[in-house]
Amino acid sequence: MDNYSPEIVRENIRVIRENIAEACEKYGNAGKTELMAVTKTVPPEVVNWVFGEGIYLLGENRVQEYLGKRESYDLKEHSGILPQVHFIGGLQTNKVKYIIDDIDMIQSVDSLKLAQEINRLANAHNKVMDVLCEVNIGGEDSKGGIPPADAVSFIEQLAPMEGIRVKGLMTIPPPVDSDVYFGRMSELFNKIKDRNIEGVSMETLSMGMTHDYVTAVKYGSTIVRVGTGIFGSRVYR
Ligand SMILES: *Cc1c(COP(=O)(O)O)cnc(C)c1O
């Protein structure tokens, strides 16, 4: 914990909030954007500071890391709000079983095989898992996600699954030309929303990280996922 300071985390969050609020106002986003704290490599004691700053949404990337940290997270109600934990990293089908019970949303669904396994386990555990379809908006080989052209048919395949509720889209765009890629995501999101697919409620557009969250807000992001902007540079141990 030596590299982390509660004062710095507090100040970081204050500035990010201010930037989000400013962008919401400027672009008529009506303050719909929620700030997620992305926790990878950050010790749980430090992650817990964010609850005192009014952030109640955590983003987890790695199953093993999450399993090691979740017992230490202070996930009780804070100011009447129960914190939520979303899975946002690449997810192997054989690891769904470890997170099916206590993750609130899986944002990184990008294959039918993965969706089928989430559906199977959710049914077996008597729950409905909220999911986002991850879209590879830049068509990059290095990134997960469904090609944008396949997103509609993919979501139509997920829609009838009883253990899954599709809530929207997530993306990690290329690091350049943010306006172009977020603009395309916004169009795709609205196109799918306008189709009114039964069993699908398009509410969530998860995009924007430390370097591009303000642009993401401009294009209607409802969740910005910020790691280094809150906690500082990641230290890999
Ligand atoms: C790490 C990560 C983030 C946060 O990235 P920062 O640049 O640290 O804000 C957001 N989304 C995903 C999927 C990530 O893996």
Side-chain angles (χ1 to χ4, degrees):
M1 281 178 54
D2 328 339
N3 305 314
Y4 300 94
S5 133
E7 288 76 28
I8 292 174
V9 167
R10 166 174 300 167
E11 176 61 10
N12 288 344
I13 291 171
R14 189 190 66 75
V15 171
I16 294 165
R17 280 248 171 72
E18 210 169 83
N19 292 339
I20 291 173
E22 213 169 87
C24 280
E25 177 143 336
K26 185 164 167 195
Y27 301 115
N29 184 310
K32 292 187 268 103
T33 310
E34 184 166 7
L35 175 57
M36 164 189 278
V38 175
T39 70
K40 59 185 182 253
T41 76
V42 181
E45 301 77 18
V46 174
V47 172
N48 285 335
W49 294 344
V50 307
F51 303 132
E53 306 303 326
I55 294 182
Y56 307 111
L57 181 59
L58 303 183
E60 295 292 320
N61 278 80
R62 300 173 183 144
V63 172
Q64 289 310 322
E65 184 180 337
Y66 172 59
L67 297 180
K69 283 157 72 172
R70 66 177 170 186
E71 296 299 321
S72 310
Y73 284 157
D74 189 9
L75 295 174
K76 68 170 188 323
E77 272 192 17
H78 299 263
S79 314
I81 301 172
L82 209 53
Q84 305 257 304
V85 184
H86 291 185
F87 197 82
I88 61 173
L91 182 57
Q92 286 171 284
T93 304
N94 63 1
K95 295 207 171 142
V96 176
K97 57 178 178 283
Y98 300 117
I99 63 167
I100 192 75
D101 280 321
D102 54 8
I103 284 275
D104 298 291
M105 179 186 275
I106 300 176
Q107 295 202 357
S108 44
V109 176
D110 66 351
S111 78
L112 196 55
K113 193 165 145 253
L114 176 59
Q116 283 165 338
E117 178 65 356
I118 296 168
N119 182 45
R120 185 184 75 77
L121 285 167
N123 284 326
H125 292 225
N126 247 319
K127 70 180 283 183
V128 179
M129 179 60 84
D130 287 341
V131 306
L132 302 183
C133 165
E134 182 174 350
V135 176
N136 189 348
I137 196 66
E140 298 167 287
D141 289 339
S142 61
K143 282 181 184 154
I146 298 284
D150 299 346
V152 172
S153 64
F154 180 67
I155 288 174
E156 282 172 348
Q157 284 177 292
L158 269 51
M161 297 183 184
E162 291 189 343
I164 279 184
R165 194 183 297 116
V166 178
K167 292 290 201 108
L169 306 178
M170 182 271 239
T171 195
I172 309 170
V176 294
D177 298 330
S178 302
D179 278 277
V180 172
Y181 294 113
F182 288 144
R184 285 185 196 161
M185 281 301 294
S186 169
E187 271 173 37
L188 183 61
F189 183 83
N190 287 324
K191 177 175 137 187
I192 297 169
K193 191 175 185 170
D194 289 346
R195 287 176 87 98
N196 284 316
I197 302 167
E198 196 178 330
V200 172
S201 49
M202 296 296 283
E203 297 164 11
T204 304
L205 181 53
S206 171
M207 59 187 194
M209 319 201 316
T210 297
H211 68 284
D212 57 10
Y213 69 88
V214 169
T215 311
V217 170
K218 176 175 171 184
Y219 290 96
S221 171
T222 66
I223 297 179
V224 291
R225 309 178 309 262
V226 179
T228 52
I230 293 174
F231 299 110
S233 307
R234 279 185 280 277
V235 184
Y236 290 91
R237 296 188 178 82

